[in-house]
């Protein structure tokens, strides 16, 4: 299968006759849909059925850490297309033929009663749900039960488009879900996006070349490792690119459940892009046709997060995070929203797929937009959220002025709205951000402000407590002596605890320099932090190779099998994302069993106590 690179959409100057060509197509399309609808506005034939799915990672319902993938990535990517479709639904058909005549049928936004009633993973058939929230299939586990439920959804809805959002560990199940769509909704266009697409599909604008990982959906289909069951892959700024793609689908779609040509959608992209002025978003749209793969680069305007709707505008808050209990509404923890102020981490840890060196998702709030984020917290409270966790790799990028400004904005909101005063939240920081010597007074004052305005929990990536490991990571930025990292971790945790905030941590095994001795050292040192009351939760993880990270390249792991269908097994199932083919080459199976058993024994109930309850409930 050939790979063709088209010029960036922004450089494809449409023919001078393009506006009249588009106008003619819109007129003919309206006439076609009017005839199909028989003039019955209640049927609204201009709305085509659509279905989104969060691809799961786990394969059994017990005895393992349930990792839900990345729901917020999907919610964010859907935000613009849902906003456009709901607006079209509410205002009705425009007097004259319009590009937005034909839109996905996402339904209407959920009302307050629905938001507060819905809890936990979705169980209602999409075809029976009139809300935007009900159009996401979210099984969390991929087994026979989930498979049959997915087939039932496909048969009931018969979607014209299926959107799959997958992290790398779920890619094998995404391909199976796409195969099922081919069988049970044969004329459905399948679009794959999410973190796996972002990590494996890149277009280099400077050299006008494509860099496709061997693990990418495109390459897996091109060389025959998987059947051609995916029509489009979207990588980059999901909200803008997906909105563009679905508008192109709407331009060429025909009424009913007949086929839609991927080739025609690709040809429609420039017409749509040129219609409304500057394109929004940066990334790539790859069409997989019978003749080959066609990559369309998009170099549009970067979309600031404040310009996008809240990811929860269309979705109810379903997660319950066991670490938050102030609301007292559930033994499983408070109903918790996930919030992000940035997507890419400013640091350059060798193992991290969220590093600025790897991520193609730079959408973020500017440091001057703290008031906007505080207002979103108020809106989340209106929607039934009792807590929030800031999923940023580093809260506000580690900018203490922005953190201070946000807390002050939140304080003003709490003064105006008493119901916000019980709202609880947490965030992620790093050891070196907390131990910023030049801003020690500012850090201390900011931590006090955080606690006073609802922050009860901070999560820190410790990774390892062995110096011979940490010297290779790129995380320990201020090395001073061989014992520096261990002492710095203790000092950072002591600082946070002294301001009345609890601390949890992630620990990563399998980094460069790891051996059985460093594993034992890390488990024991983390145990001492627990003994001293500095950690309330410790989550052990196994290094999993992600396409594009420095450690993946250094270990020669350029062919990661994220496509073969196989169920996972212990001891790998006790860790997020871990599969035999993609974990650190420095660990054998005995090491992984040892990590699981020794950490459980030394850390006791502190191990994973909050992480498991949060991951198993929803997002």
């Amino acid at each position: 299968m050939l790979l063709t690179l088209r010029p960036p959409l922004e450089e494809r100057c449409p023919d001078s006759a393009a506006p009249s060509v588009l106008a003619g197509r819109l007129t003919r399309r309206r006439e076609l849909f009017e005839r199909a609808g028989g003039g019955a506005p209640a049927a609204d034939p201009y709305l085509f059925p659509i279905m989104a799915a969060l691809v799961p990672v786990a394969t059994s319902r017990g005895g393992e850490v349930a990792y839900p993938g990345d729901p917020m990535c999907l919610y964010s990517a859907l935000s613009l297309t849902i906003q456009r479709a709901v607006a079209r639904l509410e205002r009705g058909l425009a007097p004259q033929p319009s590009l937005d005549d034909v839109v996905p049928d996402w339904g209407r936004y959920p009302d307050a009663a629905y938001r507060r009633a819905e809890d936990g993973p979705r169980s209602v058939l999409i075809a029976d749900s009139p809300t935007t929230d009900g159009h996401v299939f979210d099984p969390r586990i991929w087994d026979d039960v989930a498979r049959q439920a997915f087939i039932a959804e496909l048969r009931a809805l018969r979607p014209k488009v299926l959107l799959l959002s997958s992290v790398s560990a779920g890619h094998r199940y995404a391909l199976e879900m796409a195969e099922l769509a081919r069988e049970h909704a044969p004329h459905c266009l399948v679009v794959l996006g999410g973190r796996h697409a972002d990590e494996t599909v890149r277009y280099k604008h400077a050299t006008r070349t494509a860099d496709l990982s061997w693990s990418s959906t495109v390459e897996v289909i091109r060389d025959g490792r998987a059947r051609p069951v995916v029509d489009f892959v979207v990588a980059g700024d999901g909200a803008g690119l997906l909105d563009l793609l679905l508008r192109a689908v709407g331009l060429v779609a025909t009424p009913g459940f007949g086929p839609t040509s991927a080739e025609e959608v690709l040809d429609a992209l420039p017409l749509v892009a040129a219609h409304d002025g500057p394109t929004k978003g940066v990334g790539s749209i790859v069409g997989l046709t019978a003749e080959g793969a066609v990559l369309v680069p998009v170099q549009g305007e970067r979309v600031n997060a404040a310009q996008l709707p809240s990811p929860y505008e269309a979705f109810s808050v379903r997660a319950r995070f066991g670490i938050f209990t102030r609301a007292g509404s559930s033994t499983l923890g408070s109903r918790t929203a996930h919030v992000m102020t940035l997507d890419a981490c400013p640091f350059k840890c060798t193992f991290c797929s969220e590093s600025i060196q790897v991520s193609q998702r730079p959408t973020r709030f500017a440091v001057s937009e703290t008031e906007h984020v505080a207002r979103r917290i108020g809106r989340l409270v209106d929607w039934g959220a009792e807590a929030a966790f800031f999923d940023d790799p580093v809260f506000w990028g580690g900018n203490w002025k922005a953190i201070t400004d946000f807390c002050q904005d939140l304080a003003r909101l709490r003064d105006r709205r008493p119901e916000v005063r019980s709202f609880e939240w947490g965030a992620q920081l790093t050891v070196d951000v907390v131990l910023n010597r030049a801003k020690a007074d500012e850090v201390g004052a900011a931590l006090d402000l955080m606690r006073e305005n609802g922050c009860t929990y901070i999560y820190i990536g410790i990774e390892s407590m062995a110096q011979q490991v940490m010297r290779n990571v790129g995380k320990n930025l201020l090395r001073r002596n061989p014992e520096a990292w261990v002492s710095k971790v203790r000092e950072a945790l002591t600082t946070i605890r002294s301001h009345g905030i609890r601390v949890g941590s992630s620990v990563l095994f399998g980094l460069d320099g790891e051996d059985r001795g460093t594993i034992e050292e890390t488990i024991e040192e983390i145990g001492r932090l627990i003994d001293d009351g500095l950690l309330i939760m410790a989550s052990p993880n196994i290094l999993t190779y992600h396409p594009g990270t420095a450690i993946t390249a250094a270990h020669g792991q350029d062919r990661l099998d994220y496509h073969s269908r196989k169920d996972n097994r212990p001891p790998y199932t006790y860790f997020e994302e871990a599969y035999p083919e993609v974990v650190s080459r420095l660990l054998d199976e005995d090491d992984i069993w040892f990590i699981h058993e020794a950490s459980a024994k030394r850390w006791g109930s502190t191990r994973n106590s909050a992480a498991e309850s949060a991951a198993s409930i929803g997002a």
Side-chain angles (χ1 to χ4, degrees):
M1 182 184 286
L2 297 175
L3 174 65
T4 303
L5 302 183
R6 291 189 178 177
L9 280 180
E10 297 69 31
E11 296 179 10
R12 296 182 66 180
C13 300
D15 185 272
S16 59
S20 61
V21 170
L22 179 60
R25 291 184 64 175
L26 294 177
T27 300
R28 290 193 298 274
R29 185 183 65 173
R30 178 170 285 200
E31 293 171 351
L32 181 66
F33 275 82
E34 283 179 350
R35 289 198 299 271
D44 205 340
Y46 295 89
L47 303 179
F48 62 82
I50 190 166
M51 175 178 172
L54 179 67
V55 179
V57 175
T59 55
S60 69
R61 296 179 181 268
E64 63 182 23
V65 175
Y67 173 48
D70 192 347
M72 300 313 296
C73 178
L74 176 61
Y75 294 176
S76 298
L78 297 178
S79 60
L80 283 181
T81 180
I82 290 179
Q83 182 186 60
R84 185 184 302 279
V86 171
R88 152 67 180 82
L89 185 64
E90 291 177 346
R91 69 172 178 263
L93 212 58
Q96 298 299 321
S98 164
L99 188 58
D100 289 330
D101 279 352
V102 181
V103 295
D105 185 5
W106 290 109
R108 298 183 183 275
Y109 289 134
D111 59 21
Y114 177 98
R115 291 179 185 277
R116 292 178 180 274
E118 293 303 309
D119 197 8
R122 295 170 183 83
S123 58
V124 178
L125 277 177
I126 289 170
D128 295 333
S129 176
T131 72
T132 53
D133 183 75
H135 279 74
V136 172
F137 179 72
D138 187 2
R140 298 302 164 100
I141 300 291
W142 190 244
D143 60 4
D144 287 338
V145 173
R147 189 177 295 104
Q148 292 307 312
F150 182 62
I151 292 171
E153 304 261 3
L154 289 170
R155 289 176 174 174
L157 187 63
R158 297 177 66 192
K160 191 174 284 289
V161 179
L162 170 66
L163 306 173
L164 300 173
S165 178
S166 179
V167 297
S168 289
H171 184 233
R172 47 178 53 90
Y173 310 125
L175 292 172
E176 183 177 350
M177 293 169 83
E179 287 218 25
L180 291 172
R182 279 285 187 268
E183 180 181 354
H184 298 282
H187 297 316
C188 172
L189 283 175
V190 178
V191 181
L192 179 64
R195 297 285 181 181
H196 181 72
D198 294 346
E199 292 172 4
T200 58
V201 177
R202 299 175 182 279
Y203 178 80
K204 300 178 180 179
H205 289 272
T207 59
R208 294 176 178 266
T209 57
D211 181 10
L212 304 180
S213 166
W214 186 83
S215 307
S216 73
T217 310
V218 179
E219 291 298 271
V220 165
I221 290 176
R222 284 183 70 211
D223 64 20
R225 281 174 282 149
R227 292 181 55 222
V229 292
V230 174
D231 298 288
F232 289 96
V233 174
V234 176
D237 294 340
L241 271 62
L242 185 58
D243 183 45
L244 171 67
L245 178 62
L246 289 179
R247 295 184 85 195
V249 171
L251 182 60
V252 303
T254 56
F257 300 100
T260 303
S261 164
E263 292 87 346
E264 289 184 6
V265 175
L266 285 167
D267 291 338
L269 285 172
L271 283 174
V272 176
H275 181 262
D276 290 336
T279 309
K280 290 182 173 63
V282 176
S284 301
I285 297 173
V286 185
L288 292 155
T289 71
E291 287 71 33
V294 179
L295 189 149
V296 181
V298 181
Q299 185 71 13
E301 295 179 344
R302 286 291 187 191
V303 180
N304 191 290
Q307 299 172 279
L308 296 174
S310 166
Y312 286 107
E313 188 81 26
F315 301 101
S316 58
V317 180
R318 293 172 174 270
R320 289 198 177 274
F321 215 152
I323 204 71
F324 299 127
T325 58
R326 181 182 290 178
S329 62
S330 171
T331 57
L332 296 172
S334 299
R335 190 190 293 254
T336 304
H338 294 253
V339 184
M340 299 190 74
T341 62
L342 73 162
D343 288 326
C345 180
F347 301 115
K348 300 177 180 178
C349 298
T350 59
F351 58 86
C352 183
S353 62
E354 294 183 343
S355 166
I356 193 66
Q357 291 183 315
V358 177
S359 176
Q360 293 192 88
R361 300 170 56 81
T363 302
R364 59 180 296 170
F365 287 98
V367 294
S368 60
E369 293 171 338
T370 56
E371 185 179 0
H372 184 95
V373 179
R375 287 199 302 271
R376 285 202 174 181
I377 294 295
R379 195 71 175 125
L380 289 171
V381 173
D382 295 337
W383 291 335
E386 300 161 328
F389 186 74
F390 285 86
D391 271 325
D392 312 291
V394 186
F395 187 44
W396 285 106
N399 185 312
W400 285 106
K401 182 180 184 306
I403 294 172
T404 299
D405 289 346
F406 168 72
C407 290
Q408 292 171 340
D409 293 328
L410 191 56
R412 286 187 281 271
L413 178 68
R414 288 158 60 94
D415 287 342
R416 296 193 307 271
R417 298 185 52 184
E419 68 273 22
V420 181
R421 294 171 193 167
S422 62
F423 192 82
E424 194 174 3
W425 56 278
Q428 298 190 71
L429 292 173
T430 71
V431 168
D432 283 306
V433 165
V434 174
L435 298 183
N436 189 330
R437 311 296 185 191
K439 297 185 176 182
D441 291 342
E442 183 180 356
V443 172
L447 288 171
D448 282 338
L449 272 175
M450 291 171 68
R451 183 197 70 246
E452 293 164 7
N453 289 284
C455 179
T456 62
Y457 179 69
I458 287 175
Y459 193 72
I460 282 186
I462 291 175
E463 316 319 346
S464 174
M465 293 291 275
Q467 190 66 24
Q468 78 177 45
V469 172
M470 291 307 297
R471 71 166 59 101
N472 302 308
V473 170
K475 190 183 192 79
N476 187 7
L477 304 178
L478 303 173
R479 307 181 187 95
R480 291 191 298 276
N481 55 63
E483 291 73 42
W485 182 245
V486 173
S487 61
K488 283 170 58 179
V489 168
R490 179 169 285 272
E491 182 181 353
L493 269 54
T494 301
T495 298
I496 297 169
R497 293 292 293 123
S498 71
H499 289 271
I501 302 174
R502 301 167 299 161
V503 186
S505 69
S506 62
V507 184
L508 187 62
F509 296 94
L511 295 163
D512 283 328
E514 194 82 275
D515 56 31
R516 184 59 68 92
T518 61
I519 292 171
E520 293 176 343
E521 181 181 356
T522 293
I523 291 174
E524 176 57 29
E525 290 294 338
I526 294 294
R528 291 175 182 173
L529 295 175
I530 294 170
D531 294 343
D532 294 340
L534 296 176
L535 284 176
I536 66 162
M537 189 273 285
S539 175
N541 297 277
I542 304 299
L543 170 66
T544 299
Y545 295 118
H546 280 260
T549 63
I551 200 166
T552 297
H555 287 191
Q557 302 298 311
D558 58 341
R559 295 199 164 197
L560 300 173
D561 185 353
Y562 278 121
H563 56 276
S564 297
R565 176 67 169 93
K566 53 180 73 70
D567 290 339
N568 210 351
R569 57 182 172 79
Y572 305 95
T573 52
Y574 299 118
F575 304 91
E576 289 185 4
E577 296 191 282
Y579 282 85
E581 299 87 352
V582 295
V583 297
S584 174
R585 68 178 188 180
L586 303 182
L587 301 175
D588 59 28
E589 195 162 303
D590 286 341
D591 290 325
I592 297 173
W593 272 115
F594 178 81
I595 293 166
H596 167 60
E597 293 168 349
S599 62
K601 181 178 180 180
R602 180 65 178 89
W603 303 350
S605 61
T606 302
R607 174 188 163 168
N608 273 34
S609 57
E612 287 182 322
S613 61
S616 63
I617 299 304

